Amino acid sequence: MKVKPLSDRVLIKTLEPEQESKKGGIIIPDTAKEKPQQGEVIEVGPGRVTEEGKKIEMEVKKGDKVLYGKYSGTEVTIDGVEYLIMRESDILAIIG
Amino acid sequence: MKVKPLSDRVLIKTLEPEQESKKGGIIIPDTAKEKPQQGEVIEVGPGRVTEEGKKIEMEVKKGDKVLYGKYSGTEVTIDGVEYLIMRESDILAIIG
Amino acid sequence: MKVKPLSDRVLIKTLEPEQESKKGGIIIPDTAKEKPQQGEVIEVGPGRVTEEGKKIEMEVKKGDKVLYGKYSGTEVTIDGVEYLIMRESDILAIIG
Amino acid sequence: MKVKPLSDRVLIKTLEPEQESKKGGIIIPDTAKEKPQQGEVIEVGPGRVTEEGKKIEMEVKKGDKVLYGKYSGTEVTIDGVEYLIMRESDILAIIG
Amino acid sequence: MKVKPLSDRVLIKTLEPEQESKKGGIIIPDTAKEKPQQGEVIEVGPGRVTEEGKKIEMEVKKGDKVLYGKYSGTEVTIDGVEYLIMRESDILAIIG
Amino acid sequence: MKVKPLSDRVLIKTLEPEQESKKGGIIIPDTAKEKPQQGEVIEVGPGRVTEEGKKIEMEVKKGDKVLYGKYSGTEVTIDGVEYLIMRESDILAIIG
Amino acid sequence: MKVKPLSDRVLIKTLEPEQESKKGGIIIPDTAKEKPQQGEVIEVGPGRVTEEGKKIEMEVKKGDKVLYGKYSGTEVTIDGVEYLIMRESDILAIIG
């Protein structure tokens, strides 16, 4: 099944904490601040259209590893794999 | 009876969970996050007109299968069939 | 007495549930979601003027049957008949 | 004493419910919805200036009878007569 | 000491209720609605600059008597006299 | 140490109430309204850039004495002296 | 591991209070007001794109020492070092 996000939304395959540990790169400290999570961009929308009728290009592309806030996006499970759909503005950074 | 949505609204025929199971594609996990639902686009509005007087083209079209947030839209039942009317911005993705 | 709505407002003659039943078209299910109601457009305003000084054309016209949210608009009774005044953006769809 | 409203504000002479009854036109039903009231436009401001520096023309003019929400505007009493000052956007319709 | 308001702010010398009574013009009724107060414009700012970089001209000028909401503005006392600084958008009307 | 504010922010050296008394100009009455405070502009940012990509010129400059709301800005102490950093829009007026 | 912030976000290496004391420059007083913290800009995003499709240039660059609000940004730890990702608009000033 294919999922094509609308506007500036992206489909993200979440990386499990265990996977994060194996990669060893980013460790999330245990504080009151919002903790980001890692994922991989699987699909990107065509980009947002502004009030001026201008299309804003997406900054992320398929395959990018990204950081996003822990409570960002909407969960979907496709063919048994967990994904998130969120707006690009909820993505903090590209990593790798 | 015909329903013609205004602005950037769409009329969506909701797919029952049973129907979703038969299709087997998207399984919604039982978590605290918002859970999307599937539906089919039956009618689309002409598109939103911006402050600049520009018409923003719709991204979805009749027949598209879409994902949307569980609490999106307004319920209507037409000739015994349940539908939702929502703004296109409440639709997360096109699937299929 | 004549009522001429301002900006993008419309004057709507509400259709009573009994009248709706007679027409048989749209049945509102008993759920927690907002339930739309039917009405007929009696008068329309000249349209909204944007920050750019552009007039946005109205999508509805006199005589249109429309769906709107149950709690939309302001009630007025003119010559014993109940009406609602609401912004066009509160109208979900044209039906018929 | 003269009162010249600023921007898109209007000075309205409220019509007492008794006066409304005499005119017989609009009867406000006793429901939970916001109930509009009638008044006469006594003075109008020059119109709102947008972010673009454009002046938006007023839709109402001196002498117009108008409907407005019950809790709209700010009360002032000039020479013993009660008035309201409100923005034109708080006016629902011109009647008569 | 001189006070030069910024942007679209104005410096207003409040008129005491006693002064208002002497003038006899505006009497504020005792209701739940916001009650305006009178004052005299002492200084005006240069005007607001919009997102477009356009300067919006001030509608009020030095010497204008104005009506404003009771809780508008910030109090300052200069050389023993009480003033208010508020944005022009908080001024309801020019009187006199 | 040098502090260069970003965007339309300004660095302000707060004037202590004692200093205010010596100057004798502005006395803050004891009411429920917000009470402004005095300070001197030490550094100004380059100005805000609008959505149109236009730079809005600063109205205040180094050395200006200004009034601002009591709870405006963020406190910093540099080399033992207390300063505030706030947006220019939080400044009410230039005094002197 | 490399972190490339999106839009107008920046990656900041937080300076510990101990480090701040050694530098001796900015001492944060113990009051109810928000207290800024120091950090060093490690990476900057490409800049925000406005509704007009214009890119707003970043004001900060790699290596800048900056002040920001205590509760700004999202914490990430990369290779054992604590960082913050925040929007440039959360940065108060460049110091040094």
Side-chain angles (χ1 to χ4, degrees):
Chain A
M1 178 180 290
K2 197 152 165 59
V3 175
K4 183 187 146 202
L6 291 191
S7 187
D8 60 345
R9 289 187 182 86
V10 295
L11 181 73
I12 290 176
K13 186 168 175 303
T14 54
L15 297 177
E16 295 299 320
E18 285 74 20
Q19 287 178 270
E20 288 182 33
S21 297
K22 280 173 208 155
K23 294 189 178 192
I26 290 185
I27 300 154
I28 309 304
D30 183 30
T31 73
K33 291 209 180 186
E34 189 194 9
K35 294 160 204 134
Q37 289 188 317
Q38 297 183 54
E40 183 182 337
V41 175
I42 304 299
E43 292 285 346
V44 299
R48 189 169 63 91
V49 177
T50 74
E51 291 293 301
E52 304 290 323
K54 296 204 177 100
K55 179 161 293 189
I56 304 293
E57 295 299 316
M58 299 294 284
E59 286 186 69
V60 299
K61 60 179 191 306
K62 282 192 200 184
D64 281 349
K65 295 276 178 56
V66 294
L67 284 179
Y68 53 86
K70 193 174 190 177
Y71 304 109
S72 296
T74 302
E75 280 184 353
V76 302
T77 302
I78 306 174
D79 299 331
V81 182
E82 187 174 311
Y83 296 90
L84 285 170
I85 296 178
M86 68 183 68
R87 292 189 176 276
E88 190 185 65
S89 58
D90 289 331
I91 299 179
L92 302 170
I94 300 171
I95 56 175
Chain B
M1 178 180 289
K2 196 152 167 58
V3 175
K4 184 187 146 201
L6 291 190
S7 188
D8 60 345
R9 288 188 182 86
V10 295
L11 181 72
I12 290 176
K13 187 169 173 301
T14 55
L15 298 177
E16 294 299 319
E18 286 74 19
Q19 286 178 269
E20 288 182 33
S21 297
K22 280 172 209 157
K23 293 188 179 191
I26 290 184
I27 300 154
I28 309 303
D30 183 30
T31 73
K33 291 209 179 186
E34 189 193 8
K35 294 160 204 133
Q37 289 188 317
Q38 297 183 53
E40 184 181 337
V41 175
I42 304 299
E43 292 285 347
V44 299
R48 189 170 62 93
V49 177
T50 73
E51 290 292 302
E52 304 289 324
K54 295 202 177 103
K55 179 161 294 188
I56 305 293
E57 295 299 317
M58 300 293 284
E59 286 186 69
V60 298
K61 61 180 191 303
K62 281 193 202 183
D64 281 349
K65 296 276 178 56
V66 294
L67 284 179
Y68 53 87
K70 194 174 190 176
Y71 303 108
S72 297
T74 302
E75 280 184 352
V76 302
T77 302
I78 306 173
D79 300 331
V81 182
E82 187 173 313
Y83 296 90
L84 285 170
I85 296 178
M86 68 183 67
R87 292 190 176 275
E88 190 184 65
S89 58
D90 289 331
I91 299 178
L92 302 170
I94 300 172
I95 56 175
Chain C
M1 178 180 289
K2 197 151 166 58
V3 175
K4 183 186 146 201
L6 290 191
S7 187
D8 60 344
R9 288 188 182 85
V10 295
L11 182 72
I12 290 176
K13 189 169 173 300
T14 56
L15 297 177
E16 294 299 320
E18 287 74 19
Q19 288 178 269
E20 288 182 32
S21 297
K22 278 172 209 158
K23 294 191 179 190
I26 290 183
I27 300 154
I28 309 302
D30 183 29
T31 73
K33 292 210 179 184
E34 189 193 9
K35 295 160 206 132
Q37 289 189 317
Q38 297 183 53
E40 184 181 336
V41 175
I42 303 300
E43 292 285 348
V44 299
R48 189 169 63 92
V49 177
T50 73
E51 290 292 302
E52 305 289 323
K54 296 203 177 101
K55 178 161 295 190
I56 305 292
E57 295 299 316
M58 299 294 284
E59 286 186 68
V60 299
K61 60 179 191 303
K62 281 193 202 184
D64 281 349
K65 297 276 178 55
V66 295
L67 284 179
Y68 53 86
K70 193 174 190 177
Y71 303 108
S72 297
T74 303
E75 280 184 352
V76 302
T77 302
I78 306 174
D79 299 332
V81 182
E82 186 173 314
Y83 295 90
L84 285 169
I85 295 178
M86 68 183 67
R87 292 190 177 275
E88 191 185 64
S89 58
D90 289 331
I91 299 179
L92 302 170
I94 299 171
I95 56 175
Chain D
M1 177 180 290
K2 197 153 165 56
V3 175
K4 184 187 147 202
L6 290 191
S7 187
D8 60 343
R9 289 187 181 86
V10 295
L11 181 72
I12 290 176
K13 187 169 173 301
T14 55
L15 297 177
E16 294 299 320
E18 287 73 20
Q19 286 177 270
E20 288 182 31
S21 297
K22 277 172 210 159
K23 295 190 177 190
I26 290 184
I27 300 154
I28 309 303
D30 183 29
T31 73
K33 291 210 179 184
E34 188 194 8
K35 294 159 206 136
Q37 288 188 318
Q38 296 183 55
E40 184 181 337
V41 175
I42 303 300
E43 292 286 347
V44 299
R48 189 169 64 91
V49 177
T50 73
E51 290 292 302
E52 305 289 324
K54 294 200 178 107
K55 179 161 293 189
I56 305 292
E57 294 299 316
M58 299 294 284
E59 286 186 68
V60 300
K61 61 180 190 304
K62 281 193 200 184
D64 281 348
K65 297 275 179 55
V66 294
L67 284 179
Y68 52 87
K70 193 174 189 176
Y71 304 108
S72 297
T74 302
E75 281 184 353
V76 302
T77 301
I78 307 173
D79 300 331
V81 182
E82 186 173 313
Y83 296 90
L84 284 170
I85 296 178
M86 68 183 67
R87 292 189 177 276
E88 191 185 64
S89 58
D90 289 330
I91 299 179
L92 302 170
I94 299 171
I95 57 176
Chain E
M1 179 180 288
K2 198 151 165 59
V3 175
K4 184 187 147 202
L6 290 192
S7 187
D8 61 343
R9 289 188 181 85
V10 295
L11 182 72
I12 290 176
K13 187 169 174 300
T14 55
L15 297 177
E16 294 299 320
E18 287 73 21
Q19 286 177 270
E20 288 182 31
S21 296
K22 278 173 211 158
K23 294 190 179 190
I26 290 184
I27 301 154
I28 309 303
D30 183 29
T31 74
K33 291 210 179 184
E34 189 194 7
K35 294 160 204 134
Q37 288 188 318
Q38 296 182 56
E40 184 182 336
V41 175
I42 303 299
E43 292 286 347
V44 299
R48 188 169 64 90
V49 176
T50 74
E51 290 292 303
E52 305 290 323
K54 295 203 176 101
K55 180 161 292 189
I56 305 293
E57 294 299 316
M58 300 293 285
E59 285 185 70
V60 299
K61 61 179 190 306
K62 280 192 201 186
D64 281 348
K65 296 275 179 55
V66 294
L67 284 178
Y68 52 87
K70 194 175 189 176
Y71 303 109
S72 297
T74 302
E75 280 183 354
V76 302
T77 302
I78 307 173
D79 300 331
V81 182
E82 186 174 312
Y83 296 90
L84 284 170
I85 296 178
M86 68 183 68
R87 292 189 177 275
E88 190 184 66
S89 58
D90 289 330
I91 300 179
L92 302 170
I94 299 170
I95 57 177
Chain F
M1 179 181 288
K2 197 150 166 58
V3 175
K4 183 186 148 201
L6 290 191
S7 187
D8 60 343
R9 289 188 181 85
V10 295
L11 181 73
I12 290 176
K13 188 168 174 300
T14 55
L15 297 177
E16 294 299 319
E18 287 73 21
Q19 287 178 270
E20 288 182 32
S21 297
K22 279 173 211 158
K23 295 191 178 190
I26 290 185
I27 301 153
I28 309 304
D30 183 30
T31 74
K33 291 209 179 185
E34 189 194 9
K35 293 160 206 133
Q37 289 188 318
Q38 296 182 56
E40 185 182 336
V41 175
I42 303 299
E43 292 285 348
V44 299
R48 188 169 63 91
V49 177
T50 73
E51 290 292 303
E52 305 290 324
K54 296 203 177 103
K55 179 161 292 189
I56 305 293
E57 295 299 316
M58 300 294 284
E59 286 186 69
V60 299
K61 60 179 190 306
K62 281 193 201 185
D64 280 348
K65 296 276 180 55
V66 294
L67 284 178
Y68 52 87
K70 192 175 191 176
Y71 304 109
S72 297
T74 301
E75 279 183 353
V76 301
T77 302
I78 306 173
D79 299 332
V81 182
E82 187 174 313
Y83 295 91
L84 284 170
I85 296 178
M86 67 183 68
R87 292 190 175 276
E88 189 185 66
S89 58
D90 289 330
I91 300 179
L92 302 170
I94 300 170
I95 57 176
Chain G
M1 178 180 290
K2 197 152 166 56
V3 175
K4 182 186 147 202
L6 291 191
S7 187
D8 60 344
R9 289 187 181 86
V10 295
L11 181 73
I12 290 175
K13 187 168 174 302
T14 55
L15 297 177
E16 295 299 319
E18 286 74 20
Q19 287 177 269
E20 288 182 32
S21 298
K22 279 173 209 157
K23 294 191 178 192
I26 289 184
I27 300 154
I28 308 303
D30 183 29
T31 72
K33 292 209 179 185
E34 189 194 8
K35 293 161 205 132
Q37 289 189 318
Q38 297 183 54
E40 184 182 336
V41 175
I42 303 299
E43 292 284 348
V44 300
R48 189 169 63 92
V49 176
T50 73
E51 291 292 303
E52 305 290 323
K54 296 204 177 101
K55 179 161 292 189
I56 305 293
E57 295 299 316
M58 300 294 284
E59 286 185 69
V60 299
K61 60 179 191 305
K62 282 192 199 184
D64 280 349
K65 295 276 178 56
V66 294
L67 284 178
Y68 53 86
K70 193 175 190 176
Y71 303 109
S72 297
T74 301
E75 280 184 352
V76 302
T77 301
I78 306 174
D79 299 331
V81 182
E82 187 174 313
Y83 295 90
L84 285 170
I85 296 178
M86 67 182 69
R87 292 190 175 277
E88 189 185 67
S89 58
D90 289 331
I91 299 179
L92 302 170
I94 299 170
I95 56 176

